[in-house]
């Protein structure tokens, strides 16, 4: 029996929640537009192409290399999900971005790390030491009800299964090369000026 796939939803590139120049001087308009319009779009396009390969094989009753395709799909969907989180956990400095967290998030950070400064130092080190291309993330474990830092290699390796992601920092070179060349550390330092703590706090409260 052939399946009908025309009505099945595909992935879409989400719009930026601010103007492309809104994060300057920490992330330039050129860097942000390239990252969002080209690199993020590539993962959306790739994920949809992978889904279409699956749909075509099902329609034709054809064999498919599931191991290879699901690995590729995991990579592309990871890129779509993490980038979508990334854009929304940033905001213009002084207009929602930067400073320190408040509310429940601040309390939970103090409970787990003892202070915001200790959390910031550990998260910074996690981001700086990701092997190759990847991400640093603040996540929540529902089993222990604790906040934890997670390194993600590429988009889909070293992920804690089932953990809710609260905040991410992209440390692929495509996230910062225009502005900072190969100096990942400078980009990480700049990131703290544009973190949207209200969004991160809201994600925690909505768990």
């Amino acid at each position: 029996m052939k399946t009908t796939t025309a009505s099945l939803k595909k992935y879409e590139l989400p719009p930026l929640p601010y103007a492309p120049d809104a994060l300057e001087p920490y992330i330039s308009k050129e860097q942000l537009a390239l990252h969002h319009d080209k690199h993020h779009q590539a993962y959306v396009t790739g994920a949809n192409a992978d889904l279409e390969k699956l749909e075509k094989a099902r329609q034709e009753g054809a064999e498919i290399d599931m191991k290879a395709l699901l690995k590729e799909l995991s990579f592309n969907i990871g890129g779509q999900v993490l980038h979508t989180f990334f854009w929304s956990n940033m905001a213009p400095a002084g207009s929602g971005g930067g400073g320190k967290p408040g509310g429940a998030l601040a309390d939970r950070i103090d409970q787990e790390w003892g202070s915001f400064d200790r959390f910031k130092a550990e998260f910074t080190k996690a981001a700086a030491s990701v092997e190759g291309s990847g991400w640093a993330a603040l996540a929540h474990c529902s089993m222990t009800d604790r906040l934890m830092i997670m390194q993600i290699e590429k988009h889909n390796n070293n992920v804690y299964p089932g953990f809710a992601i609260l905040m991410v920092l992209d440390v692929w070179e495509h996230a910062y090369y225009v502005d900072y060349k190969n100096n990942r550390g400078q980009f990480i330092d700049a990131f703290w000026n544009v973190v949207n703590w209200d969004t991160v706090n809201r994600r925690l409260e909505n768990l």
Side-chain angles (χ1 to χ4, degrees):
M1 179 180 177
K2 291 187 176 181
T3 57
T4 302
T5 61
S7 63
L8 295 178
K9 191 172 181 180
K10 294 295 196 300
Y11 293 101
E12 297 178 355
L13 181 70
L16 288 170
Y18 32 72
D21 63 351
L23 303 185
E24 291 183 339
Y26 304 105
I27 301 176
S28 69
K29 178 180 180 180
E30 180 184 5
Q31 174 67 77
L32 191 61
L34 179 67
H35 192 176
H36 176 266
D37 300 349
K38 301 298 183 182
H39 290 284
H40 187 174
Q41 179 64 63
Y43 304 123
V44 174
T45 301
N48 288 334
D50 293 335
L51 291 176
E52 287 167 6
K53 289 177 186 177
L54 284 169
E55 292 162 4
K56 185 173 186 291
R58 292 165 187 164
Q59 289 280 359
E60 298 174 353
E63 292 295 324
I64 193 165
D65 185 344
M66 290 300 294
K67 182 176 181 180
L69 184 55
L70 292 182
K71 182 177 181 179
E72 184 177 298
L73 185 60
S74 171
F75 174 80
N76 284 318
I77 290 177
Q80 159 71 333
V81 170
L82 290 171
H83 280 93
T84 300
F85 273 108
F86 185 49
W87 309 132
S88 59
N89 70 213
M90 295 189 293
S95 299
K100 293 184 178 181
L105 179 63
D107 294 340
R108 295 296 293 273
I109 286 175
D110 286 344
Q111 181 183 32
E112 183 68 39
W113 284 276
S115 68
F116 173 73
D117 288 342
R118 177 67 191 190
F119 160 72
K120 181 178 177 181
E122 287 192 20
F123 191 94
T124 295
K125 186 170 287 188
S129 61
V130 173
E131 292 185 3
S133 299
W135 302 72
L138 173 64
H140 174 264
C141 173
S142 61
M143 292 182 177
T144 61
D145 192 28
R146 293 179 64 173
L147 300 186
M148 296 187 186
I149 292 170
M150 176 167 58
Q151 283 186 330
I152 305 171
E153 294 179 8
K154 297 183 179 179
H155 300 137
N156 52 344
N157 296 341
N158 296 353
V159 175
Y160 303 153
F163 280 37
I165 293 176
L166 306 177
M167 180 180 81
V168 293
L169 170 57
D170 188 348
V171 289
W172 287 63
E173 282 195 347
H174 70 228
Y176 57 86
Y177 199 83
V178 171
D179 295 335
Y180 300 99
K181 301 300 185 261
N182 65 339
N183 195 326
R184 182 187 288 186
Q186 284 188 356
F187 173 64
I188 296 168
D189 289 343
F191 170 72
W192 295 109
N193 294 283
V194 293
V195 178
N196 187 339
W197 293 115
D198 287 342
T199 292
V200 182
N201 198 32
R202 189 159 54 249
R203 288 174 182 164
L204 175 64
E205 293 175 342
N206 289 337
L207 291 176

